[in-house]
Every structure is written in structure tokens, then in C-alpha cells.
């Protein structure tokens, strides 16, 4: 018999399959449409009778991944008003179980809890209640417009966590035993939530996958980007003007501006903090507003924010290959171009020679991918680990090293996701047909154990003993991998 529970708003009817109850597309706030698209999340609108929760709900306005990325990265785009929704997976007859809240990534312009890779059934099978969150992305989530609150996407995430606090007990979860986890923009969101007073007390543990603590920009710089989008749309940069536009029109304009930033990363035009915090690939993301984001998350953590929250954090070995290889950029990098890239992006003086010497048979594009992986992901991850540890926080660090044979991606950005969720069959476009199930068992188990106890199963990381779990065909605990390269980044 399908389960029925009462939540804020009314009754929802889920589906039970193989001992796992799923409740999909439950609103945690009122529809953010029209003028409300640029207002803080409002209380959910009650409904009469039972609301079916058999299918995922709508997604925030966004574009699918463009070619050639769409060949390996799944998109989930579903228009509709109730896009501020959560999906819940729980064991049948659960009671008082740990809760893990998933924040999807997508460079803060994409993301949805309905991506098949994020199915939470395996976590529920293993005794965890999982909640996947949708939140505003793009201009509605992270633009800076006159008349609109800042960081609406983060405010949505906080509203979803408050919904979990108030409702997860109905699904058999413990509201005081919550772990928040996310990847890429989702991981950056987790770091920002750890440092935000507005999220204090809403979760006990945190997992940051491929995301550091510096993905923020100043209000003034963010206004430059929003003003450019407004100019392309022919409207003033106000909430009132943007609320009157078709959301898809706004998505098209923000996509065009994002490409313009990548093509011409001029700090005078876009703002130095946009280029620095956006890693050269993001244009709309959290802003330091003195409210939801009081300061740079890495600095806030070093000062003690979130010190009592155990942290599991890490990267994949070849993060940046996802952005350089399918697009053909890596193939166009020559030995002569490498030093020029270093000058343009401010790489450390010895970066090109050190990374190239450590990879004597690698093509120049592969060397560039390794350098950018560390610049954008591994170095920020290590700095955030150091900041949290310095304030007394517990840190465990991992690196996902298994490489797919699809599209020469190696151990690229986002590759660990189907291993974390134990959903390899849903991700064959990226992991291939023969991805190692035993590795998924191991990675998934580490996340489950951390969600239960705050211990993923290997020694803590410290600056003196930089212990890292290297996940691969034969996983092992290593100390300070590629330390000579990491030292270049300070």
C-alpha cells in the first residue's frame, strides 16, 4: 500500500517499492512566479486532500547542457510553478533515522533533484532518509537587482532545510541528525551554508564534493554582471522589470553573458571578484551581502564558523578535463600556448614547468587540465580543509581517482556522483558500461557511514598529516598526494 504522510501544506501520497518509500516533488515554499520570483521564499500554499507525490516536480528555469557537454552530463528541465520542491526517499517504516539533504550542482545556473543519478533509493535501502532540494538558479537565484533580496538561491536552500527540520520526522527521519551534502555549485553552497548565521543549527555534518569556500563575489561586481544581462534584455536591472519577463528569455540572456565572460575575462568589465570566485566558468553565484553571506566562507570558517560540524571534503583527480576535453579546448593547447595561459590566469611561476616535468608524456592540453584542476578545485579544497581544521573542526579528505574511458574524461568533474548514490546504471553516458560496482559499494558506504556517525572510515586530515582516501579500483589511504604541485598554490 502506498504511504501517506502529513507535511506542511497537507497530505502527500508516495510510492513504496522494494522497501523504499519515495515522495517526489513536494513543495517546501509557495510558487515563486511573477513578482515572487524575485522575493524571499514564502510559506507553502496548503492543498486539499491528498497530493500525489509519484513524480518529480518542476525545475527552476534553466537551459539544458549544450553540446558537446550534453553527451555526458544529464539535464533535467521541467517547466512549472511549484519548482521550489523537495523529493524524499526513506526506508519503509523508518523511525528516527539519520537524514542527508542533497544540494545539486550546476554552476549556479542549472541543477535539479530529478536527475536520475541523484535517486536516493540506495541511501534509503541503507538506513538513511534522503531529501533532494531544488532552488532558484541563474538571475532569480543569484542576480543582484534593485528591489530584490540577495542570494535568493541560498535563501531557498535554507527554507528547504527548515522544511526538513519541521517535516522529516513524518518520513522517519531525525530532525536533529541532518547531514547536508552537495557537489560543485552544491558543494560551494554547503561551504557557504556552514559559514552562514542564517543556517546555523539546521544541520550537524557536511559533505563538500568538488567545491571550495571562495565562490563568492562582491555586490558591486555582481551588479556589473546583472546590469549586462539587463542591457541585453533592454530593461533596467530591477526586480520589477525582470519579473515581467518570460523566464526563458532571462535564461537566454544570462547564458549569452556567461559565454561572454568566458571569452573575454576582463576584470574592468565584469569585476575581479566575479572572475576570481567564478573560476572562469561561472557568472552568477553567491554574493557577500553582510546577511546570508557575511563574508568569504573560507575566511569565516577559519574564524570558527561551523567549527562543530564534521566535514567530509574532496575532489576528483582530473576535475577540469570535463571543461576542456569534450569542448576540444585541450586539443588546441600547444607547448607555446601553455605559458601564455599561465600569464593570463595568474598561475604560480613554476606551475607549467613543474606539472609538465611530472607528466613527461602528457600533451600540453593535459598539463593545462591538471593545472586548472588544482587551481579551481584541489587547492581551494585543501585551503578550506585547513581553515576548518584551524578552527578545531574535524576534516576527512578524499580524492576520486578512477577514470572513465568515455570521451577521454579520466577522473573528471562529476564522475564520482553515481558512485556516491550507487546509481551507475543511470550514468552510463559518463561512466561507461563497465564501471566497477565494488567501487560504488565502497564510496556509497563511506557517505552512508559519515551520514550516520560523522566518520567516513579513514584517518582525519591535518596539515601535519594530510591523509587522503584515494578511491580507485584498489582504494588506499595516501599522504599528501602530488604535494610539490599543491605547494605552488600557497
Amino acid at each position: 500500500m502506498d504511504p501517506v504522510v502529513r507535511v506542511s501544506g497537507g497530505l502527500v501520497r508516495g510510492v513504496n517499492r522494494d522497501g523504499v518509500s519515495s515522495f517526489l516533488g513536494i513543495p517546501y515554499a509557495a510558487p515563486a512566479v511573477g513578482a515572487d520570483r524575485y522575493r524571499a521564499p514564502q510559506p507553502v500554499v496548503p492543498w486539499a486532500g491528498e497530493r500525489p507525490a509519484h513524480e518529480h516536480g518542476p525545475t527552476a528555469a534553466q537551459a539544458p547542457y549544450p553540446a558537446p557537454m550534453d553527451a555526458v552530463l544529464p539535464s533535467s528541465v521541467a517547466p512549472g510553478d511549484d519548482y521550489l520542491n523537495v523529493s524524499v526517499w526513506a526506508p519503509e517504516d523508518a523511525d528516527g533515522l539519520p537524514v542527508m539533504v542533497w544540494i545539486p550542482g550546476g554552476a549556479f545556473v542549472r541543477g535539479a533533484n530529478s536527475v536520475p543519478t541523484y535517486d536516493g533509493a540506495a541511501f534509503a535501502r541503507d538506513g538513511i532518509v534522503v531529501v533532494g532540494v531544488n532552488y532558484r538558479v541563474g538571475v532569480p537565484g543569484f542576480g543582484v537587482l534593485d528591489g530584490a533580496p540577495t542570494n535568493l538561491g541560498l535563501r531557498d536552500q535554507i527554507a528547504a532545510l527548515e522544511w526538513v527540520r519541521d517535516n522529516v520526522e513524518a518520513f522517519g527521519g531525525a530532525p536533529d541528525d541532518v547531514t547536508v551534502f552537495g557537489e560543485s555549485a552544491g558543494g560551494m553552497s554547503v561551504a557557504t551554508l556552514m559559514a552562514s548565521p542564517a543556517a546555523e543549527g539546521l544541520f550537524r555534518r557536511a559533505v563538500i564534493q568538488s567545491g571550495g569556500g571562495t565562490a563568492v563575489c562582491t555586490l558591486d561586481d555582481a551588479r556589473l554582471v546583472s546590469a549586462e544581462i539587463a542591457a541585453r534584455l533592454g530593461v533596467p536591472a530591477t526586480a520589477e522589470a525582470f519579473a515581467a519577463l518570460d523566464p526563458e528569455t532571462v535564461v537566454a540572456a544570462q547564458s549569452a553573458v556567461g559565454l561572454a565572460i568566458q571569452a573575454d575575462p576582463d576584470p574592468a568589465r565584469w569585476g575581479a571578484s566575479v572572475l576570481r570566485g567564478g573560476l572562469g566558468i561561472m557568472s552568477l553565484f553567491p554574493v557577500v551581502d553582510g546577511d546570508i553571506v557575511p563574508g568569504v566562507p573560507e575566511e569565516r570558517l577559519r574564524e570558527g564558523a561551523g567549527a562543530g560540524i564534521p566535514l567530509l571534503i574532496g575532489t576528483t583527480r582530473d576535475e577540469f578535463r570535463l571543461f576542456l576535453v569534450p569542448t576540444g579546448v585541450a586539443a588546441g593547447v600547444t607547448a607555446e600556448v601553455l605559458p601564455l595561459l599561465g600569464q593570463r590566469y595568474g598561475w604560480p611561476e613554476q606551475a607549467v614547468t613543474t606539472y609538465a616535468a611530472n607528466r613527461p608524456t602528457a600533451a600540453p592540453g593535459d598539463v593545462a587540465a591538471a593545472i586548472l584542476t588544482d587551481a579551481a578545485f584541489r587547492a581551494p579544497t585543501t585551503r578550506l580543509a585547513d581553515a576548518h581544521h584551524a578552527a578545531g573542526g574535524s576534516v576527512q579528505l578524499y580524492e576520486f581517482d578512477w577514470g572513465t574511458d568515455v570521451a577521454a574524461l579520466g577522473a573528471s568533474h562529476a564522475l564520482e556522483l553515481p558512485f556516491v548514490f550507487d546509481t551507475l546504471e543511470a550514468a552510463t553516458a559518463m561512466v561507461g558500461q563497465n564501471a566497477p560496482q565494488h567501487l560504488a559499494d565502497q564510496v556509497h558506504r563511506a557517505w552512508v557511514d559519515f551520514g550516520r556517525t560523522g566518520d567516513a572510515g579513514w584517518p582525519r586530515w591535518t596539515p601535519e598529516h594530510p591523509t587522503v582516501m584515494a578511491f580507485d579500483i584498489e582504494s588506499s589511504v595516501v599522504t599528501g598526494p602530488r604535494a610539490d604541485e599543491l605547494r605552488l598554490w600557497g
Side-chain angles (χ1 to χ4, degrees), residues 10 93 104 149 227 265 288 295 305 339 343 372 376 388 443 476:
D93 301 324
V288 177
Q343 295 171 17
L372 286 166
H388 195 50
V443 174
S476 62

Side-chain angles (χ1 to χ4, degrees), residues 317-406:
R317 185 192 61 214
D318 306 318
E319 297 272 6
F320 228 82
R321 292 186 70 82
L322 178 65
F323 309 107
L324 299 186
V325 175
T327 57
V329 172
V333 176
T334 65
E336 293 75 23
V337 168
L338 262 179
L340 300 178
L341 289 175
Q343 295 171 17
R344 180 177 184 181
Y345 291 108
W347 295 345
E349 184 177 350
Q350 299 299 318
V352 172
T353 54
T354 301
Y355 282 74
N358 288 349
R359 298 163 180 79
T361 62
D366 296 332
V367 174
I371 294 172
L372 286 166
T373 288
D374 285 5
F377 293 99
R378 195 162 73 108
T381 287
T382 305
R383 288 198 305 269
L384 189 62
D386 183 74
H388 195 50
H389 174 267
S394 167
V395 181
Q396 288 175 287
L397 205 146
Y398 74 89
E399 182 176 89
F400 188 83
D401 288 347
W402 179 81
T404 176
D405 57 6
V406 173

Side-chain angles (χ1 to χ4, degrees), residues 35-352:
D36 284 342
R37 193 176 298 274
Y38 296 93
R39 291 173 178 159
Q42 301 298 306
V44 68
V45 178
W47 55 85
E50 292 179 0
R51 181 187 179 105
H54 302 165
E55 298 179 350
H56 286 289
T59 59
Q62 59 191 276
Y65 284 102
M69 294 289 231
D70 62 340
V72 293
L73 284 180
S75 296
S76 183
V77 181
D81 292 348
D82 271 324
Y83 60 85
L84 296 182
N85 64 67
V86 295
S87 289
V88 182
W89 293 264
E92 186 179 17
D93 301 324
D95 184 24
L97 294 179
V99 180
M100 297 186 74
V101 177
W102 172 245
I103 301 179
F108 294 105
V109 294
R110 295 180 177 87
N113 57 17
S114 50
V115 172
T117 302
Y118 306 152
D119 188 289
F123 278 103
R125 173 199 69 199
D126 294 330
I128 302 287
V129 176
V130 172
V131 183
V133 175
N134 277 353
Y135 56 97
R136 274 173 281 193
V137 294
V139 174
F142 299 97
V144 174
L145 304 174
D146 290 344
T150 50
N151 293 311
L152 283 170
L154 291 172
R155 295 175 193 269
D156 292 343
Q157 294 171 12
I158 292 168
L161 285 167
E162 292 171 339
W163 184 94
V164 169
R165 177 196 62 198
D166 297 339
N167 292 279
V168 79
E169 195 169 5
F171 302 93
D176 60 350
D177 192 10
V178 174
T179 299
V180 62
F181 68 132
E183 185 265 349
S184 194
M188 297 166 193
S189 295
V190 171
T192 308
L193 293 171
M194 289 178 69
S196 176
E200 189 172 350
L202 293 176
F203 55 95
R204 292 178 59 179
R205 293 175 287 271
V207 183
I208 298 174
Q209 300 169 218
S210 303
T214 55
V216 294
C217 61
T218 68
L219 277 169
D220 287 344
D221 286 353
R223 284 193 181 95
L224 296 175
V225 176
S226 295
E228 183 80 21
I229 295 170
R232 286 177 180 257
L233 292 165
V235 299
T238 67
E240 182 180 13
F242 271 68
L245 298 172
D246 185 298
E248 301 307 316
T249 303
V250 176
V251 168
Q254 76 187 25
S255 297
V257 168
L259 291 174
I261 292 174
Q262 294 176 32
D264 179 27
D266 179 2
R269 182 179 182 187
W270 308 112
S273 68
V274 167
L275 301 182
R276 183 174 58 250
L279 309 174
I281 51 178
M282 298 188 301
S283 52
L284 292 156
F285 50 94
V287 300
V288 177
D289 58 5
D291 178 18
I292 299 297
V293 185
V296 177
E298 180 185 303
E299 297 172 0
R300 291 267 304 159
L301 264 62
R302 191 172 296 279
E303 294 165 358
I309 299 173
L311 174 63
L312 173 61
I313 187 169
T315 66
T316 67
R317 185 192 61 214
D318 306 318
E319 297 272 6
F320 228 82
R321 292 186 70 82
L322 178 65
F323 309 107
L324 299 186
V325 175
T327 57
V329 172
V333 176
T334 65
E336 293 75 23
V337 168
L338 262 179
L340 300 178
L341 289 175
Q343 295 171 17
R344 180 177 184 181
Y345 291 108
W347 295 345
E349 184 177 350
Q350 299 299 318
V352 172

Side-chain angles (χ1 to χ4, degrees), residues 405-433:
D405 57 6
V406 173
L409 288 172
S412 77
H413 189 69
L415 187 67
E416 90 285 2
L417 289 169
F419 293 83
V420 168
F421 282 87
D422 192 10
T423 52
L424 295 181
E425 291 184 1
T428 55
M430 191 174 205
V431 303
Q433 298 289 339

